[in-house]
Amino acid sequence: MPEHQSPLEPEYHPGSHGNFEHGVDVILSETRPGSILQLAAWPGEEKRLIEIVGKVTGLALPDGAGGGVSSGVRAVFGFAPGKFTVADEAEGLAASFAGAITPAIGTLTDLSHGRTAIRIAGPKAEWVMAKFFAIDFALPAFPLGAGRSTNHHDVFAQIQRTGADQFDIYVFRSFARSFWKALCHASEEVGYEVQ
């Protein structure tokens, strides 16, 4: 099976960059999940879909838009009423959901080929993210596991807090290189490392 190519490859330069003389405050990486799915429930079927997510992934998804959970291997979060993003390190997660999500409950869209997952971590991650998005990234307002969908100019982004100072950002593959370059540029001031 051919190896998946990263859209970031020409601009992905491991090592320390920017103002890192006193250390790095941001770590950037591409996480490369094997599966990225979007699930959507029809009106009134949200709770049934949440139950299915729990059965298939083993993750206890809180009810309501923006709620989420991450195990390090799998992650799920609501980004709009009745709509969820699910990511897994392994490929083939769509097949696990295919029999469980019937047309009466909602829809399943496999976005694995069309999204890129970028991780930003470190003590200045919130500060760098605030340069891009008009969202309160402070931990009480954006709790662990929670997700948001938003835009930076024309780049649609889905963001999940996967650690106290860590966020996973899902962007369209076609915009990934441009967004990556902007993220690197925004991180120069505090010093960043690409892993």
Side-chain angles (χ1 to χ4, degrees):
M1 187 171 226
E3 184 179 333
H4 293 285
Q5 298 296 312
S6 169
L8 308 180
E9 206 57 51
E11 299 297 331
Y12 201 87
H13 306 293
S16 298
H17 305 277
N19 184 20
F20 63 90
E21 293 82 21
H22 303 289
V24 296
D25 284 324
V26 171
I27 298 169
L28 303 176
S29 59
E30 181 184 11
T31 62
R32 295 191 184 202
S35 299
I36 303 172
L37 311 177
Q38 180 175 301
L39 311 178
W42 301 124
E45 297 297 326
E46 296 87 357
K47 291 194 186 310
R48 284 180 62 191
L49 184 60
I50 289 171
E51 289 174 14
I52 292 169
V53 169
K55 288 177 185 172
V56 173
T57 66
L59 300 174
L61 177 64
D63 194 356
V69 64
S70 175
S71 71
V73 174
R74 287 184 170 163
V76 60
F77 61 94
F79 65 89
K83 295 185 178 182
F84 307 92
T85 295
V86 184
D88 193 323
E89 284 185 4
E91 293 182 14
L93 186 61
S96 300
F97 276 105
I101 300 176
T102 65
I105 295 171
T107 62
L108 159 69
T109 307
D110 189 344
L111 302 174
S112 306
H113 64 286
R115 298 288 190 274
T116 297
I118 296 169
R119 177 169 288 161
I120 179 170
K124 292 288 187 179
E126 289 180 9
W127 186 79
V128 172
M129 292 289 283
K131 289 182 171 187
F132 288 89
F133 307 107
I135 293 175
D136 185 351
F137 287 100
L139 197 52
F142 199 144
L144 190 60
R148 308 285 186 265
S149 63
T150 186
N151 292 310
H152 172 68
H153 295 285
D154 289 330
V155 179
F156 175 69
Q158 293 176 312
I159 305 164
Q160 183 179 30
R161 171 167 261 165
T162 53
D165 62 357
Q166 177 175 290
F167 299 90
D168 289 352
I169 311 161
Y170 300 90
V171 296
F172 289 117
R173 189 173 175 85
S174 56
F175 288 110
R177 189 178 309 155
S178 173
F179 183 77
W180 175 261
K181 287 171 68 175
L183 192 59
C184 289
H185 180 70
S187 302
E188 286 179 350
E189 188 175 350
V190 296
Y192 69 98
E193 183 176 331
V194 174
Q195 294 184 338

